[in-house]
Coordinates of all heavy atoms in Angstrom, one line a residue:
S81 N -13.9 8.3 -6.3 CA -13.5 8.7 -7.6 C -12.3 9.8 -7.7 O -11.5 9.6 -8.6 CB -14.7 9.3 -8.5 OG -15.8 8.4 -8.5
M82 N -12.4 10.7 -6.7 CA -11.3 11.5 -6.6 C -9.9 10.9 -6.3 O -8.9 11.2 -6.8 CB -11.6 12.6 -5.6 CG -12.5 13.7 -6.2 SD -13.0 14.9 -5.0 CE -11.9 14.9 -3.7
T83 N -10.0 10.0 -5.4 CA -8.8 9.2 -4.9 C -8.3 8.4 -6.1 O -7.1 8.3 -6.3 CB -9.2 8.2 -3.8 OG1 -9.8 9.0 -2.7 CG2 -8.0 7.6 -3.3
D84 N -9.2 7.7 -7.0 CA -8.7 7.0 -8.0 C -8.1 8.0 -9.1 O -7.1 7.6 -9.7 CB -10.0 6.3 -8.7 CG -10.4 5.1 -7.9 OD1 -9.6 4.7 -7.0 OD2 -11.5 4.6 -8.0
S85 N -8.6 9.1 -9.3 CA -8.1 10.1 -10.3 C -6.7 10.6 -9.9 O -5.9 10.9 -10.7 CB -9.0 11.3 -10.5 OG -10.3 10.9 -10.9
L86 N -6.5 10.7 -8.5 CA -5.2 11.1 -8.1 C -4.1 10.1 -8.2 O -2.9 10.4 -7.9 CB -5.4 11.6 -6.6 CG -6.0 12.9 -6.4 CD1 -6.3 13.1 -5.0 CD2 -5.3 14.1 -7.0
G87 N -4.5 8.9 -8.5 CA -3.5 7.8 -8.7 C -3.2 7.1 -7.4 O -1.9 6.7 -7.4
A88 N -4.0 6.9 -6.5 CA -3.7 6.3 -5.3 C -3.2 4.8 -5.4 O -2.2 4.3 -4.8 CB -4.8 6.3 -4.2
A89 N -3.8 4.1 -6.4 CA -3.5 2.6 -6.6 C -2.0 2.6 -7.1 O -1.3 1.7 -6.7 CB -4.4 2.0 -7.5
E90 N -1.7 3.4 -8.1 CA -0.3 3.4 -8.8 C 0.7 3.8 -7.7 O 1.8 3.2 -7.6 CB -0.3 4.4 -9.9 CG -1.1 3.9 -11.1 CD -2.4 4.2 -11.0 OE1 -2.9 5.0 -10.1 OE2 -3.4 3.7 -11.6
F91 N 0.6 4.9 -6.7 CA 1.4 5.2 -5.9 C 1.7 4.0 -4.8 O 2.8 3.7 -4.4 CB 0.8 6.3 -5.1 CG 1.6 6.8 -3.9 CD1 2.9 7.5 -4.1 CD2 1.2 6.6 -2.6 CE1 3.6 7.9 -3.0 CE2 2.0 7.0 -1.5 CZ 3.1 7.5 -1.8
V92 N 0.6 3.4 -4.4 CA 0.7 2.2 -3.3 C 1.6 1.1 -4.1 O 2.5 0.4 -3.4 CB -0.6 1.8 -2.8 CG1 -0.4 0.6 -1.9 CG2 -1.2 2.9 -1.9
A93 N 1.2 0.9 -5.3 CA 1.9 -0.2 -6.0 C 3.4 0.0 -6.2 O 4.2 -0.9 -5.8 CB 1.3 -0.4 -7.3
A94 N 3.7 1.2 -6.6 CA 5.1 1.5 -6.7 C 5.9 1.5 -5.3 O 7.0 1.0 -5.2 CB 5.2 3.0 -7.4
L95 N 5.2 2.1 -4.3 CA 5.9 2.1 -3.0 C 6.1 0.6 -2.5 O 7.2 0.4 -2.0 CB 4.8 2.8 -2.0 CG 5.4 3.1 -0.6 CD1 6.6 4.1 -0.6 CD2 4.3 3.5 0.3
I96 N 5.2 -0.3 -2.6 CA 5.4 -1.6 -2.0 C 6.3 -2.4 -3.0 O 7.3 -3.1 -2.4 CB 4.1 -2.3 -2.0 CG1 3.2 -1.7 -1.0 CG2 4.2 -3.9 -1.7 CD1 1.8 -2.4 -0.8
K97 N 6.4 -2.2 -4.3 CA 7.3 -2.9 -5.0 C 8.6 -2.5 -4.9 O 9.7 -3.3 -4.9 CB 6.8 -2.8 -6.5 CG 5.8 -3.8 -7.1 CD 5.6 -3.4 -8.5 CE 4.6 -4.4 -9.0 NZ 4.2 -4.2 -10.5
S98 N 8.9 -1.2 -4.7 CA 10.2 -0.7 -4.5 C 11.0 -1.2 -3.1 O 12.1 -1.3 -3.1 CB 10.3 0.7 -4.5 OG 9.5 1.5 -3.5
S99 N 10.0 -1.5 -2.0 CA 10.6 -1.7 -0.8 C 10.4 -3.1 -0.3 O 10.9 -3.6 0.9 CB 9.9 -0.8 0.2 OG 8.6 -1.0 0.3
A100 N 9.8 -4.0 -1.1 CA 9.5 -5.5 -0.7 C 10.7 -6.3 -0.6 O 10.8 -7.2 0.2 CB 8.6 -5.9 -1.7
A101 N 11.8 -6.0 -1.4 CA 12.8 -6.9 -1.3 C 13.6 -7.0 -0.3 O 14.0 -8.1 0.4 CB 13.8 -6.6 -2.6
G102 N 13.9 -6.1 0.7 CA 14.6 -6.0 1.8 C 13.9 -6.3 3.1 O 14.5 -6.5 4.1
I103 N 12.6 -6.5 3.0 CA 11.8 -6.7 4.3 C 10.8 -7.9 4.0 O 9.8 -7.8 4.4 CB 11.0 -5.4 4.6 CG1 10.3 -4.8 3.4 CG2 11.9 -4.3 5.1 CD1 9.3 -3.7 3.6
V104 N 11.4 -9.0 3.5 CA 10.5 -10.0 3.2 C 9.8 -10.7 4.4 O 8.7 -10.9 4.4 CB 11.3 -11.2 2.5 CG1 10.5 -12.4 2.2 CG2 11.8 -10.7 1.2
N105 N 10.5 -10.8 5.6 CA 9.9 -11.4 6.8 C 8.8 -10.5 7.3 O 7.9 -11.0 8.0 CB 11.0 -11.7 7.8 CG 11.7 -13.0 7.4 OD1 11.3 -13.6 6.5 ND2 13.0 -13.1 7.9
L106 N 8.9 -9.2 7.2 CA 7.9 -8.4 7.6 C 6.7 -8.0 6.7 O 5.9 -7.2 6.9 CB 8.7 -6.9 8.2 CG 9.4 -7.2 9.5 CD1 10.0 -5.9 9.8 CD2 8.5 -7.6 10.6
L107 N 6.9 -8.5 5.5 CA 6.0 -8.3 4.3 C 4.5 -8.4 4.9 O 3.7 -7.6 4.5 CB 6.4 -8.9 3.1 CG 5.8 -8.3 1.9 CD1 6.1 -7.1 1.6 CD2 6.2 -9.3 0.7
P108 N 4.1 -9.6 5.4 CA 2.6 -9.8 5.7 C 2.3 -8.7 6.6 O 1.1 -8.2 6.5 CB 2.6 -11.2 6.5 CG 3.9 -11.9 5.8 CD 5.0 -10.8 5.7
A109 N 3.0 -8.3 7.6 CA 2.5 -7.3 8.5 C 2.3 -5.9 7.8 O 1.5 -5.1 8.0 CB 3.5 -7.1 9.7
I110 N 3.5 -5.6 6.9 CA 3.2 -4.3 6.2 C 2.1 -4.2 5.3 O 1.4 -3.4 5.1 CB 4.7 -4.1 5.3 CG1 5.8 -3.8 6.5 CG2 4.5 -2.9 4.5 CD1 7.2 -4.0 5.8
I111 N 1.9 -5.5 4.6 CA 0.6 -5.6 3.6 C -0.6 -5.4 4.4 O -1.6 -4.8 4.0 CB 0.7 -6.9 2.8 CG1 2.0 -6.8 1.9 CG2 -0.6 -7.1 2.1 CD1 1.7 -6.0 0.6
F112 N -0.7 -6.0 5.6 CA -1.8 -5.9 6.4 C -2.1 -4.4 6.8 O -3.3 -3.9 6.6 CB -1.6 -6.7 7.7 CG -2.8 -6.5 8.7 CD1 -4.1 -7.2 8.5 CD2 -2.7 -5.8 9.8 CE1 -5.1 -7.0 9.4 CE2 -3.8 -5.6 10.8 CZ -4.9 -6.2 10.6
V113 N -1.0 -3.7 7.2 CA -1.2 -2.2 7.6 C -1.7 -1.3 6.4 O -2.5 -0.6 6.3 CB 0.0 -1.6 8.1 CG1 0.0 -0.2 8.4 CG2 0.3 -2.2 9.6
V114 N -1.0 -1.7 5.2 CA -1.3 -1.0 3.9 C -2.7 -1.2 3.5 O -3.4 -0.2 3.1 CB -0.3 -1.4 2.8 CG1 -0.7 -0.7 1.5 CG2 1.0 -0.8 3.1
G115 N -3.1 -2.5 3.6 CA -4.5 -2.8 3.3 C -5.5 -2.2 4.2 O -6.5 -1.7 3.7
C116 N -5.3 -2.1 5.5 CA -6.1 -1.4 6.4 C -6.3 0.1 6.0 O -7.3 0.6 6.0 CB -5.5 -1.5 7.9 SG -5.8 -3.0 8.6
L117 N -5.2 0.8 5.8 CA -5.1 2.1 5.5 C -5.8 2.4 4.2 O -6.6 3.4 4.0 CB -3.8 2.8 5.6 CG -3.0 2.7 6.9 CD1 -1.5 3.2 6.8 CD2 -3.8 3.5 8.0
L118 N -5.4 1.7 3.2 CA -6.1 2.0 1.8 C -7.5 1.8 1.8 O -8.4 2.5 1.3 CB -5.3 1.0 0.9 CG -5.5 1.2 -0.6 CD1 -5.1 2.6 -1.0 CD2 -4.7 0.4 -1.4
A119 N -8.0 0.6 2.6 CA -9.5 0.3 2.6 C -10.1 1.5 3.4 O -11.3 1.9 3.0 CB -9.8 -1.0 3.1
F120 N -9.5 1.9 4.4 CA -10.2 3.0 5.3 C -10.2 4.2 4.4 O -11.3 4.9 4.5 CB -9.3 3.2 6.5 CG -10.0 4.2 7.4 CD1 -10.9 3.8 8.4 CD2 -9.6 5.6 7.4 CE1 -11.5 4.7 9.3 CE2 -10.1 6.5 8.3 CZ -11.1 6.1 9.2
A121 N -9.2 4.5 3.7 CA -9.3 5.8 2.9 C -10.1 5.7 1.7 O -10.9 6.8 1.4 CB -7.8 6.0 2.3
T122 N -10.2 4.6 1.1 CA -11.1 4.5 0.0 C -12.6 4.0 0.1 O -13.5 4.1 -0.6 CB -10.6 3.6 -1.1 OG1 -10.3 2.2 -0.6 CG2 -9.2 3.9 -1.6

């Protein structure tokens, strides 16, 4: 609940959307790492 209140979802969404265009071929690996870290943290 504290993580949700701090806006973790919005932060991750903005971070990925802003950097996704230039790294399309590495996007699956980056999404995998982000998914691991986000699920571990929450």
Side-chain angles (χ1 to χ4, degrees):
S81 299
M82 287 176 19
T83 307
D84 291 342
S85 299
L86 290 171
E90 292 79 10
F91 174 74
V92 171
L95 187 67
I96 291 176
K97 279 184 180 176
S98 64
S99 61
I103 48 173
V104 173
N105 287 341
L106 289 177
L107 195 59
I110 292 169
I111 291 291
F112 177 76
V113 171
V114 169
C116 285
L117 296 176
L118 194 59
F120 184 85
T122 60

